[in-house]
Structure formats: structure tokens, C-alpha cells
Amino acid sequence: MSIQSDQASVVVPFASRRRAAATPADPALLPPVLIVLHQETSTPGRVGNALRALGYPLDIRRPRFGDALPATLDDHAGAVIFGGPMSANDPDDYVRREIDWIEIALREQRPFLGICLGAQMLARQLGATVAPHPKGRVEVGYYPIRPTAAGRALCPDWPARVYHWHGEGFQLPKGAALLAAGDDFPIQAFQFGDAFGLQFHPDVTYAMMHRWTTHGCVRMDSPGAQPRHLHFAERAVQDAAERAWLKHFLDGWIARTPRGTMLQAAE
């Protein structure tokens, strides 16, 4: 099942949102955030660190290895689907199940975030096409993004360059708001209600970058990919801005959790 809408997404600036309830010192008073990963060694990286710092426990599941996804997000503050080496177009059952499951987050209007593959799955759920670059180009390394007026209204402090690791992109789903654009892959960030898709990887830590550029070094032979040394040289320049943006973004994103969920968790 996929959700489509004839109405444009309404962008509400994160800065104008007040947290439904102040973050308690005791994380047990907050519902967990559902984390969906795709490899045995994958971690939620910097996104997980930031959510824990806000007081949210993480409910980590790997459907690829048999973990079930919840029938409702009533017991969760939100959900994040992360990246992976697979494609949103793959015929594997778990890929199809994850794409179908996103309908629950959309229907229940819970905060949802898709990163890279997760964004492509969200685009597929919303009826958009996911495909490789027509000239076989990839984005592997740091590349510029350009926030739109809607993106700046939502969150003003966008970084100039962000970290990427992908060979597929997607169309802007019908009814979604474009938040940031790029060159080889024009759709870099979008919003559909309480759901957000990011083509880039603000989740990547220094340790993750070492693993990816070592175990995935074959990707750096693709057209458009940057050599390994530039990944680390660019990180030294760009990472502080990307880290600050992610903190601001996640704080506003999780604040979209319905007040009823917060109150229920505190009881």
C-alpha cells in the first residue's frame, strides 16, 4: 500500500515548535525511537547518539535478519530507517515489508525519518521512482546541497556540504515539499507531513567513515566518487556544521511527537 496526496506538504519551522513536554532527566519517562538497520554491524551512529542525549531510548530492529516491525507506533516517539547497500527496488521480502510498513508512520502521523535507503523507501511508499543516475554517476564523499526557501524556513542552519554514499536517487513525491537540492542527484531532502527523507548521511561518525571507505572502497572507483583521502580532508572542514545542523534538525523532528504519546509514557 502506498500513500499519495494532492495537497502540498505544510512546512512548519522547527524553531516555532515547543516540545510537547520537557525532556525528563529519567529516559524511562520517554517512549523509545524505533531504529531500523540493515546490516549486522550497522549502528545508528550520530543520530542514535543525539537521540539518546535528548533522553530517548532506542528500539533497534533489523528486519533483514528476522526482527518484526510494530503494528503501530503508539508506543514509540518516532521511527528512523537508515541506509544500506541494498536498493529500494530490490525484490527481497524485507525490503518490500519495510516500504509497506512506512504507511503506518504516515497514517498515524508520527515523526518518521528516512536516511539514504530509508529516504528512497519513503519515496517509493509515496509513489515516486527510485533509480540510478542516468550516466552511472554516484555521490560518495562530500557534495554541496542547496536548501530551498522551504528548507531554510524549517531549519535555517543548513551545512554547505554533506556526506553522501549512494548510487541511486529519487523523484520528489507528489505532495512533498523539497527542502534541499543537489547537482547530480537533485532531490536531497524532502518533507511529507511528519515524514522526512534525507539522501545524505548526517549519521556517519568518524569510525563509520573509516569502515565504509575501507570495506566499501570499490564504490570509490565509480564515476563521481571522491578518493578516500578527500573524505577525511573534507570532514575536517565540514563536520562541525553538519553536526550542529543534525542536532537542530533532530530536536525539531522529535518535537513533532503527539502530546498524547508523551503523556502516556510519563504515566
Side-chain angles (χ1 to χ4, degrees):
M1 178 184 297
S2 66
I3 287 182
Q4 299 185 45
S5 172
D6 293 329
Q7 297 180 350
S9 181
V10 177
V11 175
V12 177
F14 284 155
S16 69
R17 288 184 173 271
R18 303 285 296 183
R19 187 171 301 281
T23 304
D26 182 0
L29 296 179
L30 287 173
V33 175
L34 179 69
I35 300 292
V36 179
L37 302 175
H38 296 103
Q39 299 188 88
E40 289 180 303
T41 57
S42 295
T43 75
R46 182 173 284 166
V47 168
N49 295 340
L51 290 172
R52 290 189 188 100
L54 289 172
Y56 290 89
L58 305 183
D59 177 4
I60 297 177
R61 306 197 192 189
R62 294 177 170 84
R64 181 185 180 190
F65 302 104
D67 292 344
L69 293 172
T72 177
L73 283 173
D74 283 349
D75 296 326
H76 292 82
V80 186
I81 295 184
F82 285 80
M86 58 289 299
S87 168
N89 295 317
D90 287 348
D92 303 77
D93 286 344
Y94 75 91
V95 172
R96 294 177 178 271
R97 285 199 308 271
E98 287 185 35
I99 294 172
D100 289 343
W101 178 86
I102 294 172
E103 186 270 337
I104 293 175
L106 297 176
R107 172 164 39 86
E108 295 183 348
Q109 298 182 328
R110 299 304 173 112
F112 176 86
L113 175 60
I115 297 176
C116 198
L117 173 63
Q120 295 164 8
M121 288 179 164
L122 173 61
R124 282 288 308 271
Q125 164 59 224
L126 293 171
T129 298
V130 175
H133 189 276
K135 295 184 178 180
R137 294 182 64 81
V138 304
E139 287 183 323
V140 175
Y142 280 91
Y143 300 83
I145 58 169
R146 299 180 298 277
T148 64
R152 288 191 295 270
L154 181 83
C155 189
D157 54 347
W158 289 75
R161 298 173 71 88
V162 290
Y163 195 64
H164 294 77
W165 194 285
H166 68 97
E168 291 188 311
F170 47 84
Q171 298 173 331
L172 182 67
K174 186 177 181 180
L178 178 64
L179 302 179
D183 294 328
D184 284 334
F185 293 85
I187 312 303
Q188 290 291 331
F190 71 93
Q191 176 186 0
F192 185 90
D194 293 311
F196 295 81
L198 306 178
Q199 181 63 86
F200 53 96
H201 276 283
D203 55 311
V204 171
T205 63
Y206 188 75
M208 289 167 66
M209 186 177 288
H210 268 282
R211 289 198 302 271
W212 290 14
T213 56
T214 301
H215 300 300
C217 59
V218 66
R219 294 298 298 272
M220 286 178 280
D221 294 330
S222 302
Q226 295 174 355
R228 187 175 192 266
H229 73 276
L230 282 185
H231 292 226
F232 295 95
E234 285 285 314
R235 184 180 181 88
V237 177
Q238 309 295 340
D239 188 59
E242 190 170 12
R243 183 172 63 249
W245 175 86
L246 177 65
K247 182 180 183 302
H248 186 180
F249 177 86
L250 287 176
D251 195 18
W253 172 78
I254 200 66
R256 304 174 81 91
T257 302
R259 181 173 174 81
T261 301
M262 305 287 291
L263 294 177
Q264 183 180 5
E267 291 175 354

